[in-house]
Amino acid sequence: MLSISPYQPSHRNGVIRLILPIQQHEFELDIDIARQPDLMDIAGYYQQNRGNFWVALDGASVVGSISLLDIGNGQGALRKMFVKASHRGSDKAVAATLLTTLIDWCHKKGINEIFLGTTAQFLAAHRFYEKHNFQLVSKESLPGAFPVMQVDSRFYRLSL
């Protein structure tokens, strides 16, 4: 049975086992854990101020993740949204449930805008974000506090 939970340290290895294979094998990105220090300190990086990190669990297995980094001024950066291939698709609704959890949190915490960066290769992600009312924006229009990742080439904004 699927459940969404705030990140706990016991989820760390599951989160890494979820994210790295998607980045490295599915999308052939040249990235490793050493270049993602946020994954080594999720609580210290994401679960600060009005930010948070959630996992989708199928039983005890991490099958999805999403996070919100509080970047100030009522704005947040959506980061680390990944869903295991076996749990993707609108019929499973893992991605949509994770996003709804994040948006509900934003409403409760006074976050009015969500920004995100993604790569050109993540075509399904582009469709997903656009289906959920995210608008494509230029890199130049991002808030100064938005953490642009080296692999990011497409950027989106959702006004709440």
Side-chain angles (χ1 to χ4, degrees):
M1 183 168 153
L2 184 77
S3 63
I4 307 295
S5 298
Y7 172 83
Q8 299 292 322
S10 61
H11 299 133
R12 181 175 163 227
N13 290 338
V15 168
I16 292 168
R17 283 192 303 268
L18 167 73
I19 294 174
L20 280 181
I22 293 171
Q23 291 173 324
Q24 295 171 338
H25 303 297
E26 283 188 51
F27 296 104
E28 299 178 349
L29 296 176
D30 181 23
I31 194 163
D32 59 17
I33 192 70
R35 292 185 21 216
Q36 299 179 83
D38 57 321
L39 290 180
M40 301 307 290
D41 184 18
I42 288 171
Y45 193 81
Y46 293 105
Q47 294 177 312
Q48 300 295 316
N49 303 313
R50 293 182 283 175
N52 209 343
F53 192 108
W54 297 268
V55 293
L57 300 167
D58 187 350
S61 298
V62 174
V63 297
S65 67
I66 194 169
S67 68
L68 180 76
L69 180 65
D70 182 354
I71 60 172
N73 297 317
Q75 299 171 321
L78 187 159
R79 304 280 302 274
K80 301 301 184 193
M81 183 166 192
F82 292 94
V83 176
K84 190 174 181 178
S86 61
H87 288 72
R88 292 180 195 153
S90 57
D91 58 322
K92 295 179 180 65
V94 175
T97 303
L98 283 165
L99 182 60
T100 298
T101 300
L102 182 140
I103 290 171
D104 289 347
W105 173 270
C106 288
H107 287 300
K108 291 175 192 166
K109 298 295 182 177
I111 300 288
N112 303 312
E113 290 180 299
I114 303 169
F115 294 87
L116 68 92
T118 188
T119 69
Q121 297 100 301
F122 290 8
L123 300 178
H126 304 166
R127 289 189 300 274
F128 174 82
Y129 293 127
E130 290 165 7
K131 177 182 168 185
H132 288 90
N133 300 314
F134 281 81
Q135 302 296 312
L136 192 62
V137 296
S138 69
K139 183 177 181 180
E140 295 74 30
S141 69
L142 295 170
F146 181 82
V148 176
M149 303 300 293
Q150 185 177 357
V151 296
D152 290 344
S153 58
R154 283 179 71 100
F155 302 93
Y156 288 91
R157 174 185 173 269
L158 177 66
S159 187
L160 301 174

